[in-house]
CSV table of all heavy atoms in Angstrom, one decimal:
chain,number,residue,atom,x,y,z
A,41,VAL,N,91.7,94.2,79.9
A,41,VAL,CA,90.5,94.9,79.9
A,41,VAL,C,90.0,95.1,78.5
A,41,VAL,O,88.9,94.9,78.1
A,41,VAL,CB,90.6,96.2,80.7
A,41,VAL,CG1,89.3,97.0,80.5
A,41,VAL,CG2,90.8,95.9,82.2
A,42,SER,N,91.0,95.5,77.6
A,42,SER,CA,90.7,95.8,76.2
A,42,SER,C,90.1,94.4,75.5
A,42,SER,O,89.2,94.5,74.8
A,42,SER,CB,91.9,96.3,75.5
A,42,SER,OG,91.7,96.6,74.2
A,43,ALA,N,90.8,93.3,75.9
A,43,ALA,CA,90.4,92.0,75.3
A,43,ALA,C,88.9,91.7,75.8
A,43,ALA,O,88.1,91.2,75.0
A,43,ALA,CB,91.4,91.0,75.7
A,44,SER,N,88.6,92.0,77.0
A,44,SER,CA,87.3,91.7,77.6
A,44,SER,C,86.2,92.5,76.9
A,44,SER,O,85.1,92.1,76.6
A,44,SER,CB,87.3,91.9,79.1
A,44,SER,OG,88.1,91.0,79.8
A,45,LEU,N,86.6,93.8,76.6
A,45,LEU,CA,85.7,94.7,75.8
A,45,LEU,C,85.4,94.2,74.5
A,45,LEU,O,84.3,94.2,74.0
A,45,LEU,CB,86.3,96.1,75.8
A,45,LEU,CG,86.2,97.0,77.0
A,45,LEU,CD1,87.1,98.2,76.8
A,45,LEU,CD2,84.8,97.3,77.2
A,46,GLN,N,86.5,93.7,73.8
A,46,GLN,CA,86.3,93.2,72.5
A,46,GLN,C,85.5,91.8,72.4
A,46,GLN,O,84.7,91.6,71.6
A,46,GLN,CB,87.7,92.9,71.8
A,46,GLN,CG,88.4,94.2,71.4
A,46,GLN,CD,89.8,94.0,70.8
A,46,GLN,OE1,90.2,92.8,70.8
A,46,GLN,NE2,90.4,95.0,70.5
A,47,GLN,N,85.8,91.0,73.4
A,47,GLN,CA,85.1,89.7,73.4
A,47,GLN,C,83.7,89.8,73.9
A,47,GLN,O,82.8,89.1,73.4
A,47,GLN,CB,85.9,88.7,74.3
A,47,GLN,CG,85.4,87.3,74.3
A,47,GLN,CD,86.2,86.3,75.1
A,47,GLN,OE1,87.3,86.7,75.6
A,47,GLN,NE2,85.8,85.1,75.1
A,48,PHE,N,83.4,90.5,75.0
A,48,PHE,CA,82.1,90.5,75.6
A,48,PHE,C,81.3,91.8,75.4
A,48,PHE,O,80.1,91.9,75.7
A,48,PHE,CB,82.3,90.2,77.1
A,48,PHE,CG,82.9,88.9,77.4
A,48,PHE,CD1,84.2,88.9,77.9
A,48,PHE,CD2,82.3,87.7,77.1
A,48,PHE,CE1,84.9,87.7,78.1
A,48,PHE,CE2,82.9,86.5,77.3
A,48,PHE,CZ,84.2,86.5,77.9
A,49,GLY,N,82.0,92.9,75.0
A,49,GLY,CA,81.3,94.2,74.6
A,49,GLY,C,80.5,94.7,75.8
A,49,GLY,O,80.9,94.8,76.9
A,50,ASP,N,79.2,95.1,75.5
A,50,ASP,CA,78.4,95.8,76.5
A,50,ASP,C,78.1,94.8,77.6
A,50,ASP,O,77.8,95.4,78.8
A,50,ASP,CB,77.0,96.2,75.8
A,50,ASP,CG,77.2,97.4,75.0
A,50,ASP,OD1,78.2,98.1,75.1
A,50,ASP,OD2,76.2,97.7,74.2
A,51,ARG,N,78.0,93.5,77.5
A,51,ARG,CA,77.8,92.6,78.6
A,51,ARG,C,78.8,92.8,79.7
A,51,ARG,O,78.5,92.9,80.8
A,51,ARG,CB,77.7,91.1,78.1
A,51,ARG,CG,77.1,90.3,79.1
A,51,ARG,CD,76.8,88.9,78.5
A,51,ARG,NE,78.0,88.1,78.9
A,51,ARG,CZ,78.4,87.0,78.3
A,51,ARG,NH1,77.9,86.6,77.2
A,51,ARG,NH2,79.4,86.3,78.8
A,52,TYR,N,80.1,92.9,79.2
A,52,TYR,CA,81.2,93.2,80.2
A,52,TYR,C,81.0,94.6,80.8
A,52,TYR,O,81.1,94.7,82.1
A,52,TYR,CB,82.5,93.1,79.5
A,52,TYR,CG,83.7,93.5,80.3
A,52,TYR,CD1,84.3,92.7,81.3
A,52,TYR,CD2,84.3,94.7,80.0
A,52,TYR,CE1,85.3,93.1,82.0
A,52,TYR,CE2,85.4,95.1,80.8
A,52,TYR,CZ,85.9,94.3,81.8
A,52,TYR,OH,87.0,94.8,82.5
A,53,LEU,N,80.9,95.5,80.0
A,53,LEU,CA,80.8,96.9,80.5
A,53,LEU,C,79.7,97.0,81.6
A,53,LEU,O,79.9,97.6,82.7
A,53,LEU,CB,80.4,97.9,79.3
A,53,LEU,CG,81.5,98.5,78.6
A,53,LEU,CD1,81.0,99.3,77.5
A,53,LEU,CD2,82.4,99.3,79.5
A,54,HIS,N,78.5,96.6,81.3
A,54,HIS,CA,77.3,96.8,82.2
A,54,HIS,C,77.3,95.8,83.4
A,54,HIS,O,76.5,96.0,84.3
A,54,HIS,CB,76.0,96.8,81.4
A,54,HIS,CG,76.0,97.8,80.4
A,54,HIS,ND1,75.8,99.2,80.7
A,54,HIS,CD2,76.1,97.9,79.0
A,54,HIS,CE1,75.9,99.9,79.7
A,54,HIS,NE2,76.0,99.2,78.6
A,55,ARG,N,78.2,94.8,83.3
A,55,ARG,CA,78.2,93.9,84.5
A,55,ARG,C,79.2,94.4,85.5
A,55,ARG,O,79.0,94.3,86.8
A,55,ARG,CB,78.7,92.5,84.1
A,55,ARG,CG,78.7,91.6,85.2
A,55,ARG,CD,79.0,90.2,84.8
A,55,ARG,NE,79.0,89.3,86.0
A,55,ARG,CZ,79.5,88.1,86.0
A,55,ARG,NH1,80.1,87.6,84.9
A,55,ARG,NH2,79.4,87.5,87.1
A,56,ILE,N,80.2,95.2,85.1
A,56,ILE,CA,81.3,95.6,86.0
A,56,ILE,C,81.1,97.1,86.4
A,56,ILE,O,81.3,97.5,87.6
A,56,ILE,CB,82.7,95.4,85.3
A,56,ILE,CG1,82.9,94.0,84.9
A,56,ILE,CG2,83.8,95.9,86.3
A,56,ILE,CD1,83.0,93.0,86.0
A,57,PHE,N,80.7,97.9,85.4
A,57,PHE,CA,80.8,99.4,85.7
A,57,PHE,C,79.3,100.0,85.7
A,57,PHE,O,78.4,99.5,85.0
A,57,PHE,CB,81.6,100.1,84.5
A,57,PHE,CG,83.0,99.5,84.5
A,57,PHE,CD1,83.3,98.6,83.5
A,57,PHE,CD2,83.9,99.9,85.4
A,57,PHE,CE1,84.6,98.1,83.4
A,57,PHE,CE2,85.2,99.4,85.3
A,57,PHE,CZ,85.5,98.5,84.3
A,58,THR,N,79.2,101.1,86.4
A,58,THR,CA,77.9,101.8,86.5
A,58,THR,C,77.8,102.7,85.2
A,58,THR,O,78.9,103.0,84.6
A,58,THR,CB,77.8,102.7,87.7
A,58,THR,OG1,78.8,103.7,87.6
A,58,THR,CG2,77.9,101.9,89.0
A,59,PRO,N,76.6,103.1,84.8
A,59,PRO,CA,76.5,104.0,83.6
A,59,PRO,C,77.4,105.3,83.8
A,59,PRO,O,78.0,105.8,82.8
A,59,PRO,CB,75.0,104.3,83.6
A,59,PRO,CG,74.4,103.1,84.2
A,59,PRO,CD,75.3,102.7,85.3
A,61,GLU,N,80.2,105.6,85.5
A,61,GLU,CA,81.6,105.3,85.3
A,61,GLU,C,82.0,105.1,83.8
A,61,GLU,O,83.0,105.5,83.3
A,61,GLU,CB,82.0,104.0,86.0
A,61,GLU,CG,82.0,104.1,87.5
A,61,GLU,CD,82.2,102.8,88.2
A,61,GLU,OE1,81.5,101.8,87.8
A,61,GLU,OE2,83.0,102.8,89.2
A,62,ILE,N,81.0,104.4,83.1
A,62,ILE,CA,81.2,104.3,81.6
A,62,ILE,C,81.3,105.6,80.9
A,62,ILE,O,82.2,105.9,80.1
A,62,ILE,CB,80.1,103.4,81.0
A,62,ILE,CG1,80.3,102.0,81.6
A,62,ILE,CG2,80.2,103.3,79.5
A,62,ILE,CD1,79.0,101.1,81.4
A,63,GLN,N,80.4,106.5,81.3
A,63,GLN,CA,80.4,107.8,80.6
A,63,GLN,C,81.6,108.6,81.0
A,63,GLN,O,82.2,109.3,80.1
A,63,GLN,CB,79.1,108.6,81.0
A,63,GLN,CG,78.9,109.8,80.3
A,63,GLN,CD,78.7,109.6,78.8
A,63,GLN,OE1,78.1,108.6,78.4
A,63,GLN,NE2,79.2,110.5,78.0
A,66,ARG,N,84.8,108.1,78.9
A,66,ARG,CA,84.8,108.5,77.6
A,66,ARG,C,84.8,107.5,76.5
A,66,ARG,O,85.8,107.2,75.9
A,66,ARG,CB,85.9,109.6,77.3
A,66,ARG,CG,85.8,110.8,78.2
A,66,ARG,CD,87.0,111.7,78.0
A,66,ARG,NE,88.3,111.1,77.8
A,66,ARG,CZ,89.1,110.7,78.8
A,66,ARG,NH1,88.8,110.9,80.0
A,66,ARG,NH2,90.3,110.2,78.5
A,67,PRO,N,83.7,106.8,76.3
A,67,PRO,CA,83.6,105.7,75.3
A,67,PRO,C,84.0,106.2,74.0
A,67,PRO,O,83.7,107.4,73.6
A,67,PRO,CB,82.1,105.3,75.3
A,67,PRO,CG,81.5,105.9,76.6
A,67,PRO,CD,82.4,107.0,77.0
A,68,GLY,N,84.7,105.4,73.2
A,68,GLY,CA,85.2,105.7,71.9
A,68,GLY,C,86.5,106.5,71.9
A,68,GLY,O,87.1,106.6,70.9
A,72,PHE,N,89.9,104.8,76.5
A,72,PHE,CA,88.8,104.2,77.2
A,72,PHE,C,89.2,102.9,78.0
A,72,PHE,O,88.8,102.8,79.2
A,72,PHE,CB,87.7,103.8,76.1
A,72,PHE,CG,86.4,103.3,76.6
A,72,PHE,CD1,85.7,104.1,77.6
A,72,PHE,CD2,85.9,102.1,76.2
A,72,PHE,CE1,84.5,103.6,78.0
A,72,PHE,CE2,84.7,101.7,76.7
A,72,PHE,CZ,84.0,102.4,77.6
A,76,LEU,N,88.9,102.5,82.1
A,76,LEU,CA,88.1,101.4,82.7
A,76,LEU,C,89.1,100.5,83.5
A,76,LEU,O,88.7,100.1,84.6
A,76,LEU,CB,87.5,100.6,81.6
A,76,LEU,CG,86.3,101.2,80.9
A,76,LEU,CD1,85.8,100.3,79.8
A,76,LEU,CD2,85.2,101.6,81.8
A,100,TRP,N,80.3,94.1,91.9
A,100,TRP,CA,81.1,95.1,91.1
A,100,TRP,C,80.4,96.5,91.1
A,100,TRP,O,81.1,97.5,91.3
A,100,TRP,CB,81.4,94.6,89.7
A,100,TRP,CG,82.2,93.4,89.7
A,100,TRP,CD1,81.8,92.1,89.4
A,100,TRP,CD2,83.6,93.3,89.9
A,100,TRP,NE1,82.9,91.3,89.5
A,100,TRP,CE2,84.0,92.0,89.8
A,100,TRP,CE3,84.6,94.3,90.3
A,100,TRP,CZ2,85.3,91.6,90.0
A,100,TRP,CZ3,85.9,93.9,90.4
A,100,TRP,CH2,86.2,92.6,90.3
A,101,LYS,N,79.2,96.5,90.8
A,101,LYS,CA,78.5,97.8,90.6
A,101,LYS,C,78.2,98.5,91.9
A,101,LYS,O,77.7,99.7,91.9
A,101,LYS,CB,77.3,97.6,89.7
A,101,LYS,CG,77.7,97.3,88.3
A,101,LYS,CD,76.6,96.9,87.4
A,101,LYS,CE,75.7,98.1,87.0
A,101,LYS,NZ,74.7,97.7,86.0
Side-chain angles (χ1 to χ4, degrees):
V41 171
S42 186
S44 293
L45 281 170
Q46 289 177 357
Q47 184 175 359
F48 302 108
D50 283 347
R51 198 172 96 204
Y52 170 76
L53 271 178
H54 297 291
R55 181 172 185 199
I56 306 293
F57 304 101
T58 66
E61 288 174 317
I62 295 167
Q63 189 61 36
R66 298 178 320 276
F72 186 56
L76 290 177
W100 294 104
K101 290 170 76 172

